[in-house]
Amino acid sequence: MPGADDLLDRARLAASSGSYPRATRYLEQACAASQDPYVLARAEITRAYIEAETGDPAAALKRCLEVLDSDDLDPVTEGKAWQQLGLIRMRTGENEAAMEALAQAIAVLPPGSDDLGYALINRGNVHLQHGRPRQAAADFAAASAELDKPGLELDRAKAEHNLGYSQLLLGDLIGAMTQIAEAAEVLSPSSAINRATVEQDRAEILTAAGRPREAARALQQAATAYGSRRLRTFQAECELTLAWTLLRDDPAKARVVARRAARRFRGQASPARELRADTVALVAEIAAGGKSRSLLERADRLVAALHAHGLVRDAVVLELQGARVSVVRRELDDARDRLSAVRVDMNTPVTTRLLWREVRAELAHARGDARHARDHVRAGLADLHTWQASFGSLDLQSTLVGHGRDLARQGLRLALEHGDPAMVFEWSERARTLVGRVTPVRPPTDEQVASDLTELRVLQTAGPAPRTPEARRMEALRDRVRQHRWYAEGAGEVTEPADVDQLQSALKEDDAVLVAHLVVNDRVSALVCAPDRSAVVNLGRLDGLRDRLDGLTSDLTMAAAHRDGPLAVPLRAALRARLAVVAEQLVAPLVDLLGDSRLVLTPSGGLAGTPWSLLPGLVGRPLTIPPSATRWLELRGAPQPGRVGLVAGPDVARGPEEVTRAAFAWRDATVLGGPDATTTRVAELAETVDVLHLAGHGRHTGENPLFSAVELVDGPWFGYDIDELRRTPSTVVLSACELGRVSVRSGEEAIGMSAAWLHAGARTVLSSPVLIADDIACDAMSRWHTLLAAGTAPADALAQVSAEADDVVPMLSFGAGW
């Protein structure tokens, strides 16, 4: 039978993994094996831990104090008791008392002691409760060093995980993701509780990364896992995080979840955590429109209680929300006083700094000081962009912009109220194209990503049924690919928006006009910038227009699928009518300003998917859609293409004919088809050509747009595969249905396969936002290649093809079309 010391160690490991009944059995066996006061004291300390974790902190506290009252405790046992007492004090929200107890533990425990590592972990957690992530990170790093011994891998992983969480609070999202992912390899297999803890903190990363829906799903699963084991404190912590996650998109639900968490904390005698849950509930009430005087009074009482418990981060958020309520109530002096009491610096989380800028801009606007309101919005967006530019992942960049959504809308609203076209142009560039202002950077080739994409290709081609092991494996691979790509570092550079003079000079050289469609407060406006004049035009409401655009997508799909037969004529008549109605709102009011010029379009994400080249007034007009006007200025000036690669994917009736006819336009073009059109061969081709033409079936994936793909003979070639290329073609043609489609994220960023190619370095991408019939693609794109080979710019060639066609050609030019 194991000795008492061995049984105590087993009990501690079982307790730390959440296996409390098993830990209790080991403790009973240890006490039965030895009546040594040392053994009994250690058993009592572990029992106190179990009581605290399972909802009886008062009994746990009493047990620890009784141990500390014992005579002749050796330093290690005394240190264990102090560090356990500190943990319990932390759990009950007595942070100052917790810090004192943990300081005693750290002073008593000898260097190299395992318990010194545990005490440092606990003190780091108290620092986190106080909103001191830098001090917490230092303690977790020291704990990791103390626990770097054989047999303590699980405990060290906990320290490393917590270090990652500290980095998250410090704004180092990449460091946090990397640290937590590495620790998860040890923690997740060890127990359901540790796995749930990892998922909970990963969910916070997802929230910070602008993916609240995914975060909410992960948190609900983690809360269920805790609840099934009756770990009410852990469950309440998870619900607290979930409430913060739900706050932006569903404040009513956030309030319900927060109040449920508060009740659980109250039942666990955890007043500090109860206060944090009450904070989320009150913020949710404000977000839902609450503005009463009694609400402000409740907020003030709660802020005082938060500060009394050292919960500074939560207090600052609530103070800012209180100032916002005062602005809404037109109590502007009170709002000013509230804001002046808030202390925000670079150690404050980015999201809180953005909220601070939002409220200060709201107050300045309410005072009639539009200039200072714009200054606050500009500074807030600059802060966001600095953070955003540290990431190389397009996926991560595009989701992060959700944090700046409200600021961006404030800036546009202020500019439109002012009415000056130059100012509207500045804010169109600053606010709408939040990703477009971040300098793209090519991530390094990642062997793990490449391997995972290959496996995913095989599984997706097999088409496993939902909820099978193969389907779960596919989901795990997608998560790993995305997270690995998130780790790519950015260039750290943000492009300042071009000014109107610079833009107008380029427009004059190119005989072009810029139109920036803007959506603010469900109304559509258009900034028209010509070489010699600019204007802002009101285009009416968005709501009815959005319905008409959705109907237009359906009409185009039906028309492409029924080019012959009895439905062809009525479908085309309905399509022409719908195009005319949409053009009446979006184009007709602008025609006099456009003349016969080329068109540079930077539409709002709210208009994503519009088939611009088919709208009356724009048919046959060269147009291109760059990420931003500033980016267009950087990309314009199409070089004459040299090397050309053409690919026909499987099961496209006229795909081989399309690429063969296109190849005739060029002196020396490489054509891949049939068994040669593999992902490996196509990637090799893409790295060596200036023009890449992909004719195949495509699929747009709405939730994860970078998993959109063109089908090749050995499976899908994903958007993520583009990042694995060592060199990118200048011009890419996606002659594949759906690959011009986009998903619009919370910051109104449109992302899809076209955006992925542009981010990777392509200058021009041709694709269709809707289904395109095989014969239309075959005829139109072979003619386009003839014009391109003769020296015509990509967008000019596409306009000529569209004007000559007997049927609609829904292809669009993205990026710089000339």
Side-chain angles (χ1 to χ4, degrees):
M1 179 178 176
D5 286 346
D6 186 37
L7 288 165
L8 287 173
D9 288 338
R10 292 184 187 186
R12 183 188 61 77
L13 287 171
S16 68
S17 298
S19 301
Y20 302 126
R22 184 154 51 93
T24 301
R25 287 195 299 272
Y26 284 138
L27 291 175
E28 291 170 351
Q29 292 171 14
C31 293
S34 172
Q35 291 297 304
D36 188 311
Y38 163 78
V39 171
L40 298 177
R42 283 187 63 192
E44 288 295 282
I45 292 166
T46 305
R47 282 196 178 98
Y49 175 83
I50 294 170
E51 287 170 338
E53 295 301 304
T54 54
D56 194 355
L61 186 64
K62 180 181 177 184
R63 200 178 293 273
C64 280
L65 291 172
E66 287 174 351
V67 170
L68 286 167
D69 282 343
S70 303
D71 295 329
D72 301 324
L73 285 177
D74 64 279
V76 172
T77 305
E78 181 184 356
K80 286 176 182 287
W82 279 118
Q83 76 97 3
Q84 190 60 59
L85 180 64
L87 174 62
I88 296 165
R89 296 287 195 194
M90 180 187 74
R91 293 285 193 213
T92 56
E94 302 170 85
N95 286 338
E96 292 300 334
M99 290 295 285
E100 291 174 7
L102 292 167
Q104 289 278 5
I106 292 167
V108 169
L109 290 165
S113 162
D114 301 350
D115 287 283
L116 179 57
Y118 307 144
L120 287 164
I121 289 176
N122 289 333
R123 189 171 71 175
N125 285 326
V126 178
H127 280 309
L128 289 181
Q129 293 278 0
H130 275 272
R132 299 190 292 257
R134 291 191 190 281
Q135 293 93 320
D139 273 349
F140 294 138
S144 176
E146 291 288 342
L147 298 170
D148 188 11
K149 306 169 189 172
L152 297 181
E153 290 81 6
L154 182 62
D155 296 311
R156 184 167 186 260
K158 289 182 178 181
E160 295 288 328
H161 175 95
N162 289 358
L163 177 58
Y165 189 78
S166 301
Q167 290 168 321
L168 171 65
L169 298 181
L170 289 166
D172 181 6
L173 205 51
I174 301 298
M177 286 188 289
T178 306
Q179 198 84 45
I180 287 176
E182 290 176 356
E185 294 180 6
V186 176
L187 292 174
S188 292
S190 66
S191 73
I193 299 304
N194 286 336
R195 186 161 57 251
T197 301
V198 168
E199 291 307 311
Q200 179 180 345
D201 289 344
R202 275 180 172 162
E204 286 208 51
I205 290 174
L206 286 170
T207 302
R211 289 183 171 274
R213 292 180 184 175
E214 292 174 59
R217 285 198 296 269
L219 287 165
Q220 285 163 347
Q221 291 169 0
T224 300
Y226 290 136
S228 67
R229 290 164 176 79
R230 300 184 180 278
L231 299 174
R232 301 308 179 198
T233 302
F234 284 95
Q235 186 179 12
E237 282 279 8
C238 210
E239 289 170 339
L240 174 59
T241 306
L242 176 60
W244 279 116
T245 300
L246 294 169
L247 195 56
R248 173 173 300 209
D249 294 326
D250 194 347
K253 187 174 181 181
R255 188 183 182 202
V256 170
V257 174
R259 293 176 77 172
R260 185 165 65 228
R263 287 194 298 273
R264 294 195 202 281
F265 286 134
R266 195 154 46 246
Q268 302 298 313
S270 187
R273 289 175 170 139
E274 182 184 345
L275 287 173
R276 296 188 66 216
D278 288 339
T279 299
V280 189
L282 195 53
V283 171
E285 192 174 340
I286 294 169
K291 58 180 181 180
S292 66
R293 168 51 60 181
S294 64
L295 184 149
L296 265 180
E297 291 169 353
R298 280 189 288 138
D300 289 342
R301 289 195 295 272
L302 188 49
V303 164
L306 289 166
H307 278 298
H309 282 78
L311 301 173
V312 177
R313 281 193 301 146
D314 299 86
V316 168
V317 171
L318 190 53
E319 285 173 303
L320 291 171
Q321 293 291 352
R324 170 170 275 166
V325 171
S326 291
V327 172
V328 172
R329 291 172 56 85
R330 305 297 297 179
E331 298 171 355
L332 304 185
D333 289 343
D334 181 62
R336 179 203 60 207
D337 293 343
R338 289 175 182 276
L339 280 172
S340 65
V342 176
R343 294 291 173 265
V344 173
D345 56 30
M346 292 309 295
N347 290 323
T348 306
V350 174
T351 50
T352 304
R353 298 202 302 267
L354 294 176
L355 174 62
W356 178 62
R357 289 293 184 183
E358 283 179 39
V359 179
R360 293 185 74 186
E362 289 165 9
L363 175 59
H365 183 247
R367 288 184 174 278
D369 187 355
R371 182 175 67 83
H372 278 100
R374 291 192 298 273
D375 287 345
H376 287 306
V377 175
R378 187 180 290 111
L381 290 177
D383 200 2
L384 172 65
H385 283 129
T386 299
W387 186 40
Q388 192 183 22
S390 66
F391 310 117
S393 162
L394 172 61
D395 183 32
L396 190 52
Q397 288 176 3
S398 64
T399 54
L400 284 170
V401 299
H403 294 303
R405 178 184 64 185
D406 294 336
L407 271 173
R409 289 175 180 169
Q410 269 187 295
L412 275 175
R413 188 164 51 247
L414 290 164
L416 288 168
E417 285 177 7
H418 190 280
D420 174 37
M423 185 179 294
V424 173
F425 171 71
E426 177 195 349
W427 285 100
S428 169
E429 292 293 287
R430 285 191 184 281
R432 190 192 64 80
T433 53
L434 293 172
V435 166
R437 288 187 56 208
V438 176
T439 302
V441 62
R442 298 288 293 144
T445 299
D446 189 316
E447 292 183 4
Q448 182 66 62
V449 169
S451 173
D452 288 346
L453 288 171
T454 298
E455 184 181 352
L456 183 59
R457 238 186 298 285
V458 173
L459 287 169
Q460 190 160 311
T461 301
R467 293 185 293 278
T468 60
E470 292 79 9
R472 288 192 290 271
R473 176 60 177 167
M474 284 173 58
E475 193 58 37
L477 287 168
R478 290 191 187 102
D479 285 345
R480 192 158 70 184
V481 167
R482 187 180 63 201
Q483 289 182 21
H484 266 267
R485 270 291 158 238
W486 280 6
Y487 300 158
E489 293 186 0
E493 299 175 8
V494 177
T495 304
E496 274 300 298
D499 60 40
V500 170
D501 291 341
Q502 185 181 0
L503 173 68
Q504 288 181 315
S505 176
L507 292 172
K508 184 176 181 179
E509 289 178 15
D510 291 358
D511 186 22
V513 173
L514 170 84
V515 175
H517 287 89
L518 311 167
V519 177
V520 177
N521 294 339
D522 292 323
R523 297 196 65 83
V524 185
S525 302
L527 166 68
V528 182
C529 222
D532 56 352
R533 65 192 184 284
S534 299
V536 179
V537 182
N538 180 9
L539 299 180
R541 296 194 59 79
L542 175 67
D543 47 7
L545 174 62
R546 188 64 263 173
D547 292 339
R548 288 189 285 274
L549 288 172
D550 290 341
L552 188 52
T553 299
S554 177
D555 287 349
L556 283 162
T557 300
M558 290 293 291
H562 298 275
R563 300 196 62 241
D564 299 305
L567 292 177
V569 172
L571 283 173
R572 270 153 186 73
L575 173 59
R576 284 193 296 272
R578 185 106 60 176
L579 286 167
V581 171
V582 171
E584 186 65 26
Q585 182 172 357
L586 292 181
V587 180
L590 314 177
V591 166
D592 290 342
L593 295 167
L594 300 182
D596 297 324
S597 301
R598 290 163 155 173
L599 191 58
V600 179
L601 277 171
T602 58
S604 165
L607 302 180
T610 303
W612 297 99
S613 61
L614 303 182
L615 299 180
L618 302 184
V619 177
R621 183 193 300 268
L623 64 87
T624 195
I625 306 172
S628 67
T630 303
R631 188 74 178 130
W632 173 72
L633 289 169
E634 295 169 355
L635 294 175
R636 60 188 278 269
Q640 183 63 26
R643 295 159 295 176
V644 177
L646 303 118
V647 180
D651 302 321
V652 179
R654 298 188 65 181
E657 180 187 350
E658 178 180 332
V659 298
T660 300
R661 288 173 58 183
F664 284 142
W666 301 96
R667 181 177 304 170
D668 183 22
T670 302
V671 178
L672 295 178
D676 293 329
T678 65
T679 53
T680 300
R681 292 287 304 277
V682 172
E684 292 170 351
L685 180 65
E687 292 176 335
T688 60
V689 297
D690 303 309
V691 178
L692 178 67
H693 181 125
L694 298 170
H697 290 298
R699 178 179 299 175
H700 176 75
T701 304
E703 188 169 350
N704 293 303
L706 294 178
F707 283 114
S708 299
V710 60
E711 291 294 329
L712 297 175
V713 71
D714 59 337
W717 199 45
F718 299 108
Y720 278 110
D721 281 303
I722 298 168
D723 276 340
E724 298 304 301
L725 299 176
R726 290 168 295 184
R727 178 184 173 278
T728 309
S730 174
T731 301
V732 178
V733 179
L734 302 175
S735 183
C737 56
E738 293 199 10
L739 290 191
R741 290 180 58 192
V742 297
S743 295
V744 179
R745 288 177 164 167
S746 60
E748 288 211 337
E749 291 296 331
I751 183 171
M753 187 67 92
S754 299
W757 277 107
L758 292 171
H759 183 266
R763 294 185 62 264
T764 310
V765 179
L766 266 59
S767 60
S768 172
V770 295
L771 179 68
I772 181 170
D774 288 352
D775 51 352
I776 291 291
C778 180
D779 294 340
M781 298 320 297
S782 59
R783 172 64 175 150
W784 178 83
H785 275 278
T786 300
L787 294 169
L788 191 72
T792 308
D796 295 344
L798 185 59
Q800 188 171 334
V801 167
S802 299
E804 294 171 354
D806 295 330
D807 208 335
V808 295
V809 179
M811 298 290 285
L812 294 171
S813 167
F814 295 92
W818 56 79

